[in-house]
Amino acid sequence: MEAANGFSNGGSTQGKPIKCKAAVAWGPGEPLVMEEVEVAPPAPMEVRVKVLFTSICHTDLSFWKGENERQRKFPRILGHEAAGVIESVGEGVKDLAPGDHVVPIFTGECGTCAYCESSKTNLCGTYRVNPFKSTMVSDNGTRFSVVDRSSGAPQPVYHFLNTSTFAEYTVLDSACAVKINPQAPLEKMCLLSCGISTGVGAAWNTANVSKESTVAVFGLGAVGLAVAEGARIRGAARIIGVDINPDKFTKGKEMGVTDFIESKACGKPVHELIRDMTGGGVDCSFECTGIVDVLREAFLSTHDGWGLTVALGIHPTPRMLPLHPMELFDGRRITGCVFGDFKGKSQLPLLVDQCINGEVKINFDGFITHEMPFSEINEAFRLLEEGKSLRCVLRL
């Protein structure tokens, strides 16, 4: 039997293990290895997804390198930006069915807990992102296994950020799978799993950038450029991009950056230059580097009285927030942001529809600098590590 969109409803595989290819990380910094893994059927309130496209984010790079020793867990299937089709669903899943087009999200939404019912947060009491978590919620087990080459016995392979998309099939909690319009191009929609949603949402939902706002973006990687894109769509009057690499200004201009500061060559602290450029500071700044000293510059670059700084970078350092409490008495504020403050399951489908009908024009193509087959994933990692790609989309 086939679903309405022509994709098999999983009748031949439903309830059975599936063997498929996955890029397995065996240790920090070691090349990913294409392994045949066994993917178990979904348990209650889980879904099994055939991954069609996945892309690589700096967070994947950080975990692959093992930059935070407490987050190391191997062997592991990384990956958290993807798009695919539901192959089968576990007991109790009512909102998803085989054949549905879905985008995995690393911070889930159950829809019923106090957090999900609150308009003040996009976190979920049960399925929020947890970088230390490497198993499924229902039983603390894994759905992946690989045959140990020495003993021949099955060995568990750990999960990553609720998603693990560097595999032809993956198992997700249903709270971490967003059903989207089947007309949406999946090779572009996979970017909504992390980078674009995080950056655009930070501008729209967290900072509420409006027409004539002034904005500074520290770090012009994919998330920083997505912030700029979100600010551009909202009509920001000035978008200042800050980076150590002047080559990034070309792509920045494409995403709406109006001014560029090469931070290592400006001759004075960046925040002083931004205050001079804007008559006191920007309305909003966004830190997208994960560097504590940059976070301080971003904070000081905002206007006293009303300036807001949004922290988006992942900070592996044990160093604490670089502020004195009295500095907050000048009216500047600072906050963090996860997934652009989008409630994934309840808000992303509308955003996808708005993109399809032209109501919202996000430059997805501008973020995709490379497209490769899944087998070339190590080359894609190299390109990202060397700063030669924004997003490399892998076709499975």
Side-chain angles (χ1 to χ4, degrees):
M1 181 177 178
E2 291 196 348
N5 60 11
F7 190 87
S8 170
N9 71 355
S12 61
T13 54
Q14 192 168 16
K16 304 173 184 176
I18 289 177
K19 290 185 177 180
C20 70
K21 292 294 184 184
V24 177
W26 286 96
E30 296 180 15
L32 303 181
V33 180
M34 281 293 172
E35 303 276 11
E36 181 179 79
V37 299
E38 185 170 283
V39 185
M45 299 308 296
E46 296 174 0
V47 297
R48 188 161 58 186
V49 175
K50 179 176 176 59
V51 179
L52 299 178
F53 299 93
T54 188
S55 49
I56 302 171
C57 167
H58 269 95
T59 303
D60 299 309
L61 200 62
S62 175
F63 275 79
W64 169 66
K65 290 180 177 179
E67 289 179 352
N68 186 324
E69 290 187 11
R70 293 180 59 210
Q71 295 172 357
R72 293 181 181 179
K73 194 77 172 178
F74 298 101
R76 198 172 202 179
I77 296 174
L78 302 174
H80 63 288
E81 281 192 347
V85 179
I86 297 286
E87 175 269 336
S88 59
V89 303
E91 181 183 348
V93 176
K94 305 297 184 186
D95 63 327
L96 295 165
D100 285 347
H101 287 206
V102 291
V103 169
I105 51 174
F106 61 83
T107 188
E109 181 186 356
C110 74
T112 58
C113 71
Y115 296 89
C116 287
E117 290 181 345
S118 170
S119 61
K120 297 177 181 179
T121 182
N122 69 332
L123 300 178
C124 174
T126 302
Y127 299 102
R128 71 176 66 183
V129 63
N130 179 354
F132 302 105
K133 180 170 165 283
S134 57
T135 55
M136 299 299 291
V137 167
S138 63
D139 59 3
N140 285 323
T142 74
R143 302 293 175 264
F144 303 112
S145 62
V146 65
V147 174
D148 184 278
R149 289 173 181 168
S150 339
S151 66
Q155 177 180 1
V157 179
Y158 294 101
H159 294 255
F160 174 67
L161 293 186
N162 293 328
T163 47
S164 289
T165 62
F166 292 164
E168 293 175 329
Y169 286 86
T170 189
V171 174
L172 313 171
D173 295 299
S174 62
C176 296
V178 178
K179 179 180 177 179
I180 63 169
N181 191 321
Q183 296 179 13
L186 292 179
E187 68 273 15
K188 298 179 182 180
M189 295 303 103
C190 71
L191 302 188
L192 291 177
S193 282
C194 179
I196 287 183
S197 295
T198 297
V200 169
W204 292 357
N205 304 324
T206 313
N208 193 23
V209 171
S210 58
K211 192 174 182 180
E212 303 306 320
S213 292
T214 54
V215 170
V217 183
F218 288 73
L220 295 180
V223 171
L225 290 172
V227 171
E229 176 76 351
R232 178 193 65 78
I233 292 171
R234 279 287 181 91
R238 200 167 188 181
I239 303 171
I240 301 170
V242 183
D243 205 284
I244 60 174
N245 183 357
D247 294 337
K248 291 188 176 181
F249 190 34
T250 301
K251 178 62 74 171
K253 284 194 291 185
E254 183 183 332
M255 301 298 179
V257 174
T258 58
D259 303 83
F260 181 77
I261 296 174
E262 184 182 353
S263 54
K264 287 190 174 181
C266 61
K268 64 193 308 185
V270 171
H271 76 269
E272 292 183 11
L273 183 55
I274 290 176
R275 288 185 189 182
D276 292 343
M277 293 168 64
T278 57
V282 291
D283 298 313
C284 311
S285 69
F286 299 84
E287 182 279 309
C288 308
T289 67
I291 300 171
V292 170
D293 293 334
V294 174
L295 179 59
R296 177 162 181 81
E297 285 297 303
F299 176 75
L300 294 175
S301 73
T302 61
H303 204 292
D304 64 328
W306 62 80
L308 173 66
T309 297
V310 181
L312 295 166
I314 303 299
H315 290 257
T317 173
R319 290 176 59 192
M320 303 297 283
L321 202 64
L323 307 174
H324 190 281
M326 294 304 295
E327 291 181 293
L328 299 172
F329 284 73
D330 282 331
R332 295 184 178 93
R333 294 171 294 138
I334 186 168
T335 188
C337 169
V338 173
F339 198 57
D341 280 333
F342 278 114
K343 287 180 178 285
K345 285 180 73 83
S346 55
Q347 293 180 334
L348 276 194
L350 174 60
L351 176 60
V352 171
D353 288 343
Q354 291 173 326
C355 290
I356 291 175
N357 65 31
E359 184 180 343
V360 173
K361 296 180 179 179
I362 295 174
N363 181 12
F364 287 94
D365 291 333
F367 289 89
I368 301 172
T369 53
H370 298 78
E371 297 181 56
M372 294 180 177
F374 182 45
S375 59
E376 296 182 19
I377 189 169
N378 284 307
E379 173 64 10
F381 263 72
R382 184 188 67 81
L383 289 170
L384 184 65
E385 187 175 21
E386 294 178 359
K388 295 178 179 177
S389 76
L390 280 176
R391 282 296 186 269
C392 179
V393 174
L394 302 172
R395 184 185 296 269
L396 282 79

